[in-house]
Amino acid sequence: MTARLVVFTGQLGYSVRMGIVELDRHLGGAEWLVLVHSPQRSPRRLLRNQWLNLKRNGWRWIPYQLVDLWRRIAPGTAQTLAVRPGPGDEYALDALGRLRGLRIERVGDIHAPSSLDLVRRFAPDLGLSLAAPILRRPLFSIPRLGTINLHKGRLPDFRGMPPAFWELWQGVERVGCSVHIVDERLDTGPLLAQGDIRRERYSDVRGLQIELDEFAVRLVNDAAAGMLAGTAVGCAQPAGQGRTYRKPTLAQEAELARRLAGPRAEPILKRRLKDAVAATIGAAHRIGVARAAAPRVVVLLYHRVADDVRDNLTAGIAQFDRQMQWLSENCSVVPIEDVLAMQPIARSRRPVVAVTFDDGYLDNYRFAAPVLRRHRLPAAFFVSTGIVASERPFPHDVRRGNGPIAKMDWDQMRRMRAWGFTIGSHTVHHIDCAAESEHTVRDELARSRDDLHRELDVVEPIFAYPYGGRQHMTPERLELVKAAGYVGCLSAHGGVNVGAVDRFDVLRTGVNWEFSDLGFRRLSLGWP
């Protein structure tokens, strides 16, 4: 018999949509009623809220609101641009609306008699509270099996909101996630499932929230399936323990950001000057100065997205999320296959950008791919096929004295292919193509090509040569790349593709933690 589930929520953001879609897949299909609490606030109520927030947050509330207003009205940033089919499409709002057996109802008051009647007529087996307002008993008790709530915090220690903030404020080493049965009080019901993730050296609030979004899906799936099967057993929370937290003030947010501040890439004055240049370039681009320049394509190169280190191969998780959000709102982000076909580069109203990764580290799968799916962006991952899915380290990690760094395995790369990402070759053993013998290079190209075809069914492989400098590829070795059947070759020595793309010398520019947000925007506009 098909399960009937009602979702109570205050917004249909990405994490809520992802949770619904993945639970539907986990259950093999269900009947859904999604009840969205969307109250209409009067001008008087809005003014009162502004006054209360100003009293609570002080002067910081004014620039905070101005920035929020700018994001809402500024051209190109009001909403994410429409994109072609690609990674993350299954979680988009329009895709959710097309999910079989799902109905979305927006109500002015989730506790109004009409809302209660709507839920009763649906006759749900189970209720799910996902980013919902505080629920009252007349509503949460309607489902036959009750209602469960996803709380991104470890109970009973961290009740309330927001996810990860107060854990970092208190300096804990692990950040929790809980699923519990809803009762009359906030986050106090019997526990059904719990787990936690490790705080890394440079973890921040946003980076941990992104991790929690992914981690929470598994907890909700298991708890909901257990409730529907009658196997879930709630465990009462210890009486009198824990604390309920509220939303932090802007001053507290600033204080935590100061505490968590990592290493500085360069002196503050130098950073401010570079940001001023970047802001000037951005302003010139917005008023149309770029139209006088030749059309160009920027191909970005990443290696790792993680918060355990800060080095020239790594970008932070929250930093990468900000960067991808900016690209999704302001640029035309295209697959690398489209870049190879740009002969010449056509003019575009928005900057044209492609996103690529080299090597094949596990964090590409754990952190980068989820962020890309969140923003519905394509990307290409070039992997050394003899090092991924093995304990063998990359040569550059050995030279740096790095400890073991996990790599992706073939099952994870198959999932990434199924999500819509491109997987290409980075040789077998991450060799220097210019320094190795012709026989070795020919063998590495053929074996890597065959590995990709056998494991991932790649039929038109693209090659990114290791190290990526001009000195690491020669005309003779490039002929071997073409002879091996590769349809394109990417470098890594910087530069922007202007006018046309040489498909066997695609220029890429590296990105790491040292880039400020303004510096990244300047780079993405084609002015490295």
Side-chain angles (χ1 to χ4, degrees):
M1 185 174 177
T2 302
R4 298 174 67 83
L5 295 96
V6 59
V7 174
F8 305 118
T9 186
Q11 48 90 10
L12 279 176
Y14 175 81
S15 62
V16 173
R17 301 194 305 267
M18 176 176 62
I20 294 171
V21 170
E22 290 301 324
L23 180 53
D24 186 78
R25 184 176 294 147
H26 186 72
L27 297 175
E31 295 291 324
W32 294 87
L33 171 63
V34 181
L35 203 63
V36 186
H37 180 64
S38 303
Q40 295 294 320
R41 293 181 173 87
S42 66
R44 181 177 178 181
R45 177 69 178 273
L46 292 172
L47 286 173
R48 175 176 169 77
N49 288 344
Q50 289 293 328
W51 172 244
L52 292 174
N53 277 305
L54 183 61
K55 287 176 61 178
R56 184 166 187 260
N57 293 285
W59 63 267
R60 289 181 173 85
W61 184 250
I62 297 174
Y64 176 83
Q65 285 297 92
L66 290 174
V67 170
D68 181 67
L69 178 63
W70 171 253
R71 281 194 52 81
R72 293 172 185 270
I73 67 175
T77 62
Q79 59 183 358
T80 299
L81 304 172
V83 295
R84 71 184 71 199
D89 280 0
E90 66 269 37
Y91 304 139
L93 184 58
D94 54 351
L96 182 68
R98 295 192 301 270
L99 191 67
R100 183 178 178 182
L102 183 139
R103 180 165 118 240
I104 299 173
E105 294 285 349
R106 298 181 184 274
V107 297
D109 181 358
I110 202 169
H111 295 106
S114 57
S115 301
L116 299 179
D117 186 57
L118 185 64
V119 178
R120 289 192 191 99
R121 284 188 278 111
F122 180 67
D125 297 306
L126 181 66
L128 299 176
S129 173
L130 302 176
I134 297 175
L135 303 181
R136 302 171 193 160
R137 175 167 288 279
L139 181 62
F140 70 69
S141 63
I142 294 176
R144 178 175 61 86
L145 299 170
T147 297
I148 63 176
N149 177 60
L150 168 64
H151 177 71
K152 293 172 184 173
R154 187 166 188 85
L155 296 176
D157 301 316
F158 292 94
R159 299 188 176 107
M161 62 179 298
F165 182 90
W166 294 110
E167 288 91 332
L168 290 178
W169 184 273
Q170 299 290 352
V172 301
E173 292 303 314
R174 303 190 72 86
V175 176
C177 193
S178 309
V179 179
H180 67 91
I181 297 171
V182 175
D183 63 11
E184 286 89 347
R185 293 177 296 168
L186 182 64
D187 300 329
T188 59
L191 290 167
L192 294 169
Q194 272 196 319
D196 52 40
I197 57 178
R198 186 176 64 185
R199 172 187 177 180
E200 299 291 354
R201 181 177 182 183
Y202 299 108
S203 291
D204 60 14
V205 174
R206 180 57 184 159
L208 287 171
Q209 288 175 346
I210 291 170
E211 288 191 66
L212 287 172
D213 283 350
E214 300 292 321
F215 183 77
V217 168
R218 298 190 292 274
L219 283 185
V220 171
N221 285 355
D222 292 343
M227 289 288 287
L228 292 167
T231 59
V233 178
C235 177
Q237 297 186 42
Q241 293 189 20
R243 178 180 171 185
T244 300
Y245 293 86
R246 62 184 297 195
K247 183 178 180 180
T249 65
L250 295 178
Q252 287 171 321
E253 291 182 1
E255 168 62 18
L256 182 60
R258 185 192 64 78
R259 289 191 208 170
L260 299 178
R264 286 183 175 176
E266 53 200 359
I268 189 66
L269 179 58
K270 183 177 180 181
R271 169 63 68 90
R272 292 289 181 262
L273 289 173
K274 291 173 70 173
D275 282 351
V277 172
T280 302
I281 292 172
H285 193 278
R286 283 193 295 274
I287 64 175
V289 172
R291 294 174 192 152
R296 58 195 59 212
V297 175
V298 176
V299 182
L300 302 174
L301 166 60
Y302 294 87
H303 290 81
R304 298 191 62 205
V305 172
D307 285 332
D308 56 342
V309 297
R310 291 290 181 261
D311 61 25
N312 64 358
L313 294 183
T314 308
I317 298 172
Q319 177 189 29
F320 184 68
D321 179 61
R322 291 194 306 272
Q323 292 171 350
M324 296 304 103
Q325 180 176 350
W326 190 84
L327 291 182
S328 73
E329 294 174 344
N330 296 275
C331 300
S332 176
V333 182
V334 301
I336 195 63
E337 291 86 350
D338 286 12
V339 174
L340 298 180
M342 291 181 179
Q343 306 291 338
I345 300 171
R347 288 203 173 273
S348 172
R349 192 162 57 91
R350 297 184 177 91
V352 180
V353 179
V355 179
T356 67
F357 282 78
D358 279 2
D359 293 345
Y361 292 105
L362 177 61
D363 53 69
N364 293 187
Y365 174 82
R366 289 187 59 203
F367 306 132
V371 169
L372 290 160
R373 297 177 80 194
R374 177 183 296 264
H375 298 294
R376 302 175 68 186
L377 298 180
F381 297 81
F382 296 94
V383 303
S384 296
T385 60
I387 297 180
V388 293
S390 79
E391 298 299 321
R392 186 179 295 111
F394 285 101
H396 49 267
D397 286 329
V398 174
R399 287 195 297 273
R400 290 167 178 239
N402 292 340
I405 303 176
K407 281 86 63 179
M408 294 186 286
D409 62 34
W410 289 110
D411 283 341
Q412 290 161 342
M413 286 182 277
R414 289 186 193 98
R415 293 189 198 104
M416 292 175 70
R417 281 272 287 169
W419 293 337
F421 294 115
T422 297
I423 310 290
S425 168
H426 204 48
T427 71
V428 179
H429 298 112
H430 202 281
I431 65 166
D432 181 343
C433 292
E436 297 289 346
S437 68
E438 177 179 335
H439 171 77
T440 297
V441 174
R442 192 188 303 274
D443 179 66
E444 289 262 335
L445 291 169
R447 288 173 58 194
S448 182
R449 175 201 64 205
D450 294 345
D451 290 342
L452 293 173
H453 180 70
R454 180 185 65 254
E455 299 287 349
L456 305 176
D457 197 30
V458 174
V459 294
E460 291 190 325
I462 305 170
F463 181 61
Y465 60 90
Y467 306 106
R470 289 185 176 88
Q471 71 275 23
H472 300 122
M473 178 58 66
T474 68
E476 295 77 18
R477 297 295 184 263
L478 191 58
E479 289 304 312
L480 297 181
V481 174
K482 297 175 182 178
Y486 291 93
V487 299
C489 181
L490 284 62
S491 66
H493 51 73
V496 175
N497 303 276
V498 179
V501 174
D502 180 346
R503 64 186 300 126
F504 284 97
D505 185 21
V506 180
L507 303 180
R508 295 188 295 170
T509 300
V511 183
N512 59 45
W513 73 275
E514 295 179 307
F515 278 79
S516 68
D517 290 349
L518 282 172
F520 175 80
R521 295 172 190 181
R522 168 187 54 79
L523 177 67
S524 301
L525 293 174
W527 303 99

